[in-house]
Amino acid sequence: METYKLTAFKPDGEKLLDESFQAGSEEEAKTMGEKILSEKNLQDNTYRCISPQGKLILFHP
């Protein structure tokens, strides 16, 4: 398991979400990130999810 970082922002740059979570693979992390965003109703905001190696696995401008 690795730790992934999920962050969501308002248009003015204010952070709405700054959360870490564990996942076994990038695909699992992508699914989990989308689920977290949906549960918190943040899927229409700017967001990113980054792997421990710094790879961008989810992004919405």
Side-chain angles (χ1 to χ4, degrees), residues 41-61:
N41 199 29
L42 296 172
Q43 67 274 15
D44 293 327
N45 292 65
T46 298
Y47 60 79
R48 66 181 175 215
C49 184
I50 300 175
S51 75
Q53 295 78 27
K55 183 178 178 185
L56 191 62
I57 60 169
L58 270 180
F59 180 73
H60 182 272

Side-chain angles (χ1 to χ4, degrees), residues 5-53:
K5 184 82 166 182
L6 180 63
T7 313
F9 304 90
K10 282 186 175 180
D12 66 3
E14 179 186 343
K15 276 189 191 176
L16 299 170
L17 178 72
D18 191 5
E19 190 170 308
S20 296
F21 63 92
Q22 297 278 317
S25 69
E26 285 185 11
E27 282 304 313
E28 182 182 356
K30 186 176 179 180
T31 301
M32 290 176 69
E34 289 169 339
K35 182 179 178 191
I36 293 167
L37 290 164
S38 179
E39 288 172 352
K40 298 180 183 280
N41 199 29
L42 296 172
Q43 67 274 15
D44 293 327
N45 292 65
T46 298
Y47 60 79
R48 66 181 175 215
C49 184
I50 300 175
S51 75
Q53 295 78 27

